[in-house]
Amino acid sequence: MSATPQKNRASRRVLAAVAGLATVGALVAAMPAGAHDRGHGHGGGHGHGHKPRTVDVQLLSFNDLHGNLEPPAGSAGNVSETQPDGTVKAIPAGGVEYLATSLRTARKGNPYSVTAAGGDMVGASPLLSGLFHDEPTIEALNGLDLDVTAVGNHEFDEGATELARLQNGGCHPVEGCYEKGKKFKGADFPYLAANVTKEKTGKPLLKPYTVWKKNGVKIGFIGVTLEGTPDIVTANGVKGLKFHDEVETINKYARELDRKGVKSIVALIHEGGAPASTSYNYDCDSPGAGDGISGPIVDIAKGITPKVDALVTGHTHQAYVCTVPDPSGKPRMVTSASSFGKLYTDTTLTYDRRTNDIVRTSVKSANHVVTRDQPKAPDMTRLIDRWNKLAAPIANKPQGWISADINGRGSTAPEKPLGNVIADAQLEGLAPADKGGAEVAFMNPGGIRADLVHKASGSEGDGVVTYGEAFTVQPFTNMMNVVDLTGAQLVSALQQQVSGPNEASPKILQVSKGLTYTLDLTKSGADRVVAGTIKLNGEAIDPARTYRVAMNEFLAGGGDGFPALGQGTNKLVGASDLDLFNAYLAAHSTAAAPLAPPATDRITVIQ
């Protein structure tokens, strides 16, 4: 389920805590066909005293950066590309130094160019950004000349007040200013949150839309996050806020823009889909429009008014450029650029000066890889170096040793090696009677944000796990809970992995050693978890017995579609997930005896 991006979010940053290295994505440019054909120069006049009827507007877009300023490590830093012979090649991509170069190269020769994002620019960030409450990422996005972004669910990780600070600037209310004599300026682009209102007033939390203008060309941008944001963010992050239907909200503001004379409209939607192939260059319109994509964005796209000309999406961390029919049956472009700045989308919108609208039949779009074999943008290198110096005392501290890559985010299997390590760390730390007496631990797969990579990320040496690397794996600083659950509730929780809201896209919990069961994917719904096979330390789960269960506070609140886990009683709050993870690495590895990737034999999968 590597495509299930965001999941838990307890943004509780420990003190100056950690910031993470990350990846933003450099852009490999590729000019769309016809990019220089029409209407450029001073308003496109070409010196003949009249403007051509149409002008090509270049829309560059990306999504789900998650504070990845440095290239993402390991498999999380690759994109898949299908070759002419049908084989699939992994291409290392991402890093803001390259993303900046890609975007700047793509803009050359395009006087009408606007750059937009689909949400989750920050949150679940590596240490380099997360340690500083994502100020480095906002600074980088300002430098990338981002014009506008929608909010994503992760923009709410630290609550509405912190989101307002990222927009408006000012130093952190607890930690203050990070650099002497420098005050954080905030984002110089608008964050749009059309479907998020304040419970008390009913008014939008942030601007619902903005209008980009150049030489009489006007394009409106409406931004929304997924309506289900409260289900995947900690309760504190969305306190006092209401999240509304994406389609109804976009249609409402599209009517408003239309009344104001803005006929060209792009929706930025932090919700997405899953293409039939993970290759970024897959044709998801084969054999017909939108035939190769599924997921929530399909129904959303079919419901959004034809007044909207293109949809930039996100959330699922997938790559696609599809057309999905609008309510009138006309094809409309729907795009997503993977995650972590590994891709960017280049869309050509042909603007008709007489109608002020986009000529929908001529919209062209393609995703491009932010390759790492192009020059780095020097301003981004300086930005990364500056923040790395501030982070170094915390980030570079060794926590443990590994003998090989231990895959988490980059693993597509239901049971992930790093998931087993994390769950075992949580069980071990919370098993003592005075720590909660845990008998089993559950970890949500979306909370694992990276792989543990054997190759050194800096000067620490191969196999060394630094605090920064551990933080990048578990950046939420979720507090751990130990609760009482009955055996019947445990069985229900395991069935909820593959039923209810998780039926279409299962969320397979990572389980601690001792818990075993069979997952039969040939069946449907809750039956995929074969109830009779669920055992703890070799004994069948007793429906009437009470078990002490460890999990992070996000899961303990019923997050990610696990209401059964939210029914726990007799709660004890323990250390943070990151503290337990680091303690486990320290206890189970040395330079001479590094931790090896564990076997993945807890869940027997029948395909």
Side-chain angles (χ1 to χ4, degrees):
M1 315 289 92
S2 61
T4 325
Q6 343 320 356
K7 269 92 250 173
N8 60 307
R9 15 281 349 142
S11 314
R12 162 181 304 356
R13 282 348 181 245
V14 184
L15 255 182
V18 258
L21 346 142
T23 62
V24 146
L27 284 131
V28 137
M31 302 258 299
H36 354 253
D37 300 348
R38 303 187 279 268
H40 298 326
H42 293 293
H46 296 301
H48 299 299
H50 66 87
K51 292 177 178 177
R53 177 163 173 175
T54 61
V55 57
D56 279 354
V57 177
Q58 178 188 55
L59 171 63
L60 300 176
S61 57
F62 57 98
N63 52 277
D64 295 278
L65 180 61
H66 291 288
N68 280 260
L69 302 180
E70 294 178 298
S75 56
N78 293 333
V79 293
S80 298
E81 181 181 76
T82 299
Q83 306 300 300
D85 65 0
T87 58
V88 177
K89 181 179 173 185
I91 303 175
V96 283
E97 295 159 296
Y98 304 113
L99 180 58
T101 299
S102 290
L103 291 175
R104 290 164 186 171
T105 305
R107 290 177 189 136
K108 285 178 183 167
N110 289 282
Y112 292 86
S113 183
V114 56
T115 303
D120 277 5
M121 294 296 98
V122 301
S125 304
L127 186 82
L128 177 60
S129 187
L131 187 59
F132 306 105
H133 296 273
D134 284 312
E135 290 181 21
T137 296
I138 298 296
E139 190 181 315
L141 292 169
N142 288 344
L144 289 175
D145 292 324
L146 182 63
D147 289 296
V148 57
T149 184
V151 294
N153 51 290
H154 279 281
E155 264 81 20
F156 294 93
D157 280 352
E158 296 193 51
T161 305
E162 175 63 5
L163 173 56
R165 186 182 77 87
L166 291 180
Q167 176 72 83
N168 300 319
C171 296
H172 192 270
V174 177
E175 292 164 32
C177 300
Y178 295 111
E179 295 178 288
K180 198 171 178 180
K182 271 194 180 177
K183 185 179 170 187
F184 174 57
K185 290 176 180 170
D188 63 12
F189 51 89
Y191 261 112
L192 304 181
N195 65 331
V196 187
T197 57
K198 299 174 188 174
E199 279 181 355
K200 282 184 180 171
T201 63
K203 291 183 177 170
L205 175 69
L206 296 168
K207 286 172 65 166
Y209 60 79
T210 191
V211 181
W212 178 86
K213 300 174 185 171
K214 181 166 184 181
N215 296 340
V217 173
K218 291 188 294 189
I219 298 179
F221 288 88
I222 303 168
V224 298
T225 185
L226 70 156
E227 186 182 6
T229 289
D231 302 327
I232 52 175
V233 175
T234 52
N236 280 342
V238 293
K239 199 173 176 183
L241 303 175
K242 277 194 81 167
F243 292 77
H244 304 273
D245 182 83
E246 303 94 339
V247 175
E248 288 173 14
T249 303
I250 291 168
N251 290 350
K252 170 186 164 184
Y253 287 111
R255 287 193 298 273
E256 189 171 311
L257 282 165
D258 186 62
R259 284 197 303 272
K260 291 182 171 182
V262 179
K263 308 293 183 185
S264 299
I265 302 172
V266 175
L268 309 175
I269 308 171
H270 192 70
E271 178 60 290
S277 162
T278 56
S279 291
Y280 81 91
N281 57 341
Y282 164 68
D283 177 8
C284 70
D285 280 350
S286 175
D291 282 352
I293 187 171
S294 59
I297 199 61
V298 178
D299 285 340
I300 289 173
K302 287 177 178 174
I304 289 174
T305 172
K307 292 180 194 301
V308 174
D309 299 295
L311 313 183
V312 172
T313 72
H315 187 58
T316 56
H317 290 204
Q318 299 298 293
Y320 48 84
V321 173
C322 307
T323 56
V324 177
D326 71 13
S328 71
K330 283 174 64 184
R332 178 168 53 193
M333 197 61 76
V334 180
T335 66
S336 174
S338 183
S339 64
F340 301 169
K342 294 181 288 188
L343 298 175
Y344 72 98
T345 313
D346 190 333
T347 302
T348 304
L349 301 172
T350 301
Y351 184 92
D352 186 326
R353 290 182 182 276
R354 282 189 208 160
T355 63
N356 297 323
D357 207 348
I358 300 302
V359 184
R360 196 93 78 69
T361 51
S362 67
V363 174
K364 294 181 286 290
S365 190
N367 274 325
H368 302 288
V369 183
V370 175
T371 59
R372 299 184 197 166
D373 57 3
Q374 59 186 321
K376 296 179 179 182
D379 56 329
M380 294 295 152
T381 303
R382 288 192 297 272
L383 182 151
I384 289 169
D385 289 349
R386 215 178 80 232
W387 288 102
N388 263 332
K389 283 192 180 76
L390 289 174
I394 294 169
N396 297 337
K397 193 176 174 194
Q399 302 296 311
W401 291 264
I402 55 174
S403 64
D405 287 0
I406 305 181
N407 284 343
R409 190 79 194 172
S411 167
T412 54
E415 181 183 351
K416 307 171 192 306
L418 190 50
N420 287 356
V421 173
I422 291 169
D424 287 352
Q426 294 176 353
L427 177 63
E428 183 170 294
L430 301 170
D434 62 336
K435 304 289 186 193
E439 300 168 81
V440 63
F442 292 135
M443 174 63 191
N444 56 310
I448 306 169
R449 305 304 300 189
D451 302 333
L452 275 187
V453 178
H454 185 263
K455 183 175 168 54
S457 59
S459 57
E460 76 274 12
D462 290 350
V464 178
V465 179
T466 64
Y467 186 86
E469 290 164 339
F471 180 87
T472 298
V473 169
Q474 294 229 90
F476 297 105
T477 323
N478 262 320
M479 302 315 288
M480 292 300 301
N481 291 181
V482 186
V483 299
D484 284 349
L485 288 173
T486 65
Q489 288 168 325
L490 269 186
V491 173
S492 290
L494 291 173
Q495 291 173 331
Q496 285 162 2
Q497 301 176 110
V498 290
S499 62
N502 293 330
E503 180 158 5
S505 180
K507 293 191 176 79
I508 305 303
L509 295 166
Q510 307 299 287
V511 300
S512 55
K513 62 182 177 222
L515 187 78
T516 55
Y517 69 94
T518 296
L519 184 65
D520 187 347
L521 297 177
T522 66
K523 296 181 177 173
S524 62
D527 291 341
R528 293 176 186 163
V529 172
V530 185
T533 65
I534 304 171
K535 293 180 179 178
L536 183 59
N537 301 321
E539 291 183 15
I541 294 288
D542 178 352
R545 197 195 130 191
T546 296
Y547 295 84
R548 291 292 283 166
V549 184
M551 63 194 106
N552 61 48
E553 61 189 334
F554 172 67
L555 279 178
D560 259 359
F562 290 100
L565 296 180
Q567 294 165 1
T569 57
N570 194 19
K571 178 169 78 173
L572 182 141
V573 178
S576 76
D577 50 8
L578 181 62
D579 286 346
L580 293 181
F581 184 47
N582 282 328
Y584 186 85
L585 291 171
H588 292 270
S589 67
T590 63
L595 182 70
T600 49
D601 53 6
R602 299 169 191 183
I603 305 172
T604 301
V605 181
I606 299 172
Q607 300 277 11

